[in-house]
Amino acid sequence: MNVSGITTLDEFIIKKQADFPYSTGELSRLLRDIGFAAKIVHREVNKAGLIRNILGKTGNTNVQGEEVQKLDSYANEKFLNALELDGECAGVVSEENEEPIIFDHKNSISSKYIIAMDPLDGSSNIDVNVSVGTIFSIYRRKSDPNSKCTMEDFLQSGINQAAAGYVIYGSSTMLVYTTGRGVNGFTLDPSIGEFCLSHENIQMPQQGNTYSINFGNYARFLSPGVKKYLDYCNEVDPETGRPYSMRYVGSMVADIHRSILKGGIFMYPPTDDAPEGKLRLLYECNPLAYIVEQAGGVASSGTKRILDIEPKDIHQRVSIYIGSYNMVNRVLNFVNE
Ligand code: P6P
């Protein structure tokens, strides 16, 4: 904490680095690089409505078959540049790139870490001024640090994450991350250009009264248990605070951020047109699962803890039930009964 009583992200990272006696500072520098790129993306997201050439679609589609928004590409470029040039990262898997980006910059080849990230999740919301987010996972590489990183480095279970975080570009811009010793949130103060500690040691309520799901998929859900749980959420039972309220932003970072702070559950169950689920394991579900678990919540595919899933493909999709401890365990009872 400095004389103004503010703890900036950089100060916090350096202070927490002392918790890891053998740390050599690379992870700290990597987290600071991400914070820097997030400030750049914040600036563009917050004036998206003013600059005609930054709104709308690029006319391209990404590996997911989704139309790439101009800000998607912009955010991807800014994060990749920041990560490559500072030399703390050997490679990146991004939602925006079909293949891993293996850095061969002399500063990066022997870096200790690799990153999986969704540079701008929920970007279809940008043009209508709804919150969007960046999601990232950091792993120690497993391959020989004297050569370029390999696919093996990216196909690690989520339990191996060295760190995970997200940035939510909403009514304010916040960066929330964990290195495995709790979850802390930092709010960007644009007047000083710093992320400032605003939510220390976040603990997720074990119970909430909101649930997030795309109800439009009701007829497509493959699990009868999901429909039974939704009926349970909508029953009138004042003793248990039901009916719960349905909140669905269309940006999972926003829905999960609200659930972490207030309690709640986010679900993207298997549907007939996405039997494996829609959301991506490496750069959406794993990082958010790590954060939610560190805050006291639960994250499951319905049959397995998200963090225990062995990835087979860098863009692998999974179903996900993530949020407050009591709520996720309740839906899993319905799904698996
Ligand atoms: P649907 C955004 O594209 C995203 O990946 C998540 O952020 C969001 O929760 C989900 O997909 C929305 O998907 O099918 O409900 O539009």
Side-chain angles (χ1 to χ4, degrees):
M1 187 180 293
N2 55 39
V3 294
S4 60
I6 293 171
T7 300
T8 66
L9 174 64
D10 288 5
E11 289 166 340
F12 186 86
I13 290 170
I14 290 166
K15 183 161 78 75
K16 288 297 179 184
Q17 181 181 312
D19 291 349
F20 298 87
Y22 304 106
S23 73
T24 51
E26 284 125 317
L27 182 60
S28 297
R29 281 192 292 279
L30 195 46
L31 288 166
R32 294 209 303 274
D33 291 345
I34 291 170
F36 174 75
K39 292 179 200 174
I40 304 287
V41 173
H42 155 84
R43 183 185 62 195
E44 295 308 305
V45 165
N46 277 272
K47 60 185 179 184
L50 298 174
I51 300 182
R52 293 310 307 158
N53 69 346
I54 202 80
L55 280 179
K57 300 175 173 56
T58 58
N60 308 320
T61 54
N62 63 16
V63 63
Q64 324 298 338
E66 294 165 345
E67 289 202 281
V68 178
Q69 304 284 331
K70 288 179 181 174
L71 260 180
D72 270 336
S73 297
Y74 178 87
N76 196 41
E77 178 195 320
K78 292 306 165 192
F79 279 104
L80 290 179
N81 289 347
L83 293 170
E84 180 166 25
L85 294 179
D86 198 42
E88 303 308 341
C89 173
V92 179
V93 154
S94 167
E95 188 205 27
E96 295 306 316
N97 300 91
E98 186 157 2
E99 299 301 328
I101 312 288
I102 311 292
F103 293 146
D104 56 10
H105 191 284
K106 61 180 175 34
N107 293 356
S108 308
I109 288 180
S110 56
S111 300
K112 207 167 34 175
Y113 295 102
I114 59 96
I115 286 188
M117 73 181 317
D118 185 350
L120 209 60
D121 181 68
S123 53
S124 57
N125 282 320
I126 288 166
D127 294 7
V128 293
N129 224 358
V130 171
S131 299
V132 292
T134 295
I135 316 170
F136 63 89
S137 250
I138 301 176
Y139 291 86
R140 285 173 199 79
R141 58 186 292 183
K142 298 168 75 173
S143 57
D144 174 4
N146 295 313
S147 55
K148 292 180 186 176
C149 64
T150 66
M151 186 62 85
E152 172 205 23
D153 293 317
F154 296 103
L155 294 178
Q156 299 186 55
S157 296
I159 194 64
N160 292 346
Q161 292 174 92
Y166 60 83
V167 182
I168 178 168
Y169 310 95
S171 49
S172 64
T173 291
M174 268 191 78
L175 186 149
V176 176
Y177 84 94
T178 183
T179 57
R181 296 194 180 197
V183 178
N184 293 282
F186 301 79
T187 300
L188 182 64
D189 179 344
S191 68
I192 59 173
E194 291 285 3
F195 280 105
C196 303
L197 182 63
S198 54
H199 296 69
E200 188 164 10
N201 191 25
I202 298 173
Q203 297 295 314
M204 183 175 213
Q206 295 215 321
Q207 178 64 45
N209 57 19
T210 60
Y211 65 99
S212 300
I213 193 165
N214 184 338
F215 235 103
N217 288 331
Y218 190 88
R220 294 176 157 171
F221 291 136
L222 296 181
S223 160
V226 168
K227 298 182 180 183
K228 287 179 185 168
Y229 178 67
L230 295 177
D231 296 341
Y232 168 83
C233 290
N234 294 324
E235 284 168 356
V236 177
D237 178 351
E239 279 191 17
T240 59
R242 289 179 292 145
Y244 299 145
S245 296
M246 212 280 274
R247 293 282 184 276
Y248 195 69
V249 180
S251 286
M252 75 187 296
V253 171
D255 284 316
I256 293 174
H257 181 67
R258 183 195 55 250
S259 300
I260 289 174
L261 297 185
K262 295 183 178 295
I265 183 171
F266 174 92
M267 297 165 279
Y268 210 105
T271 58
D272 54 14
D273 61 345
E276 297 303 314
K278 171 186 180 182
L279 302 173
R280 276 75 70 173
L281 176 62
L282 256 63
Y283 40 79
E284 289 179 325
C285 297
N286 268 336
L288 293 170
Y290 190 23
I291 292 164
V292 162
E293 285 200 6
Q294 281 287 309
V298 175
S300 171
S301 67
T303 55
K304 199 166 186 178
R305 182 188 180 209
I306 291 286
L307 295 184
D308 289 340
I309 297 174
E310 296 276 341
K312 300 288 182 295
D313 175 84
I314 58 172
H315 296 295
Q316 179 173 337
R317 296 173 189 265
V318 291
S319 51
I320 186 166
Y321 306 83
I322 181 172
S324 292
Y325 183 87
N326 295 349
M327 298 180 86
V328 174
N329 283 306
R330 168 83 61 180
V331 70
L332 293 179
N333 288 339
F334 279 102
V335 166
N336 294 310
E337 73 185 3

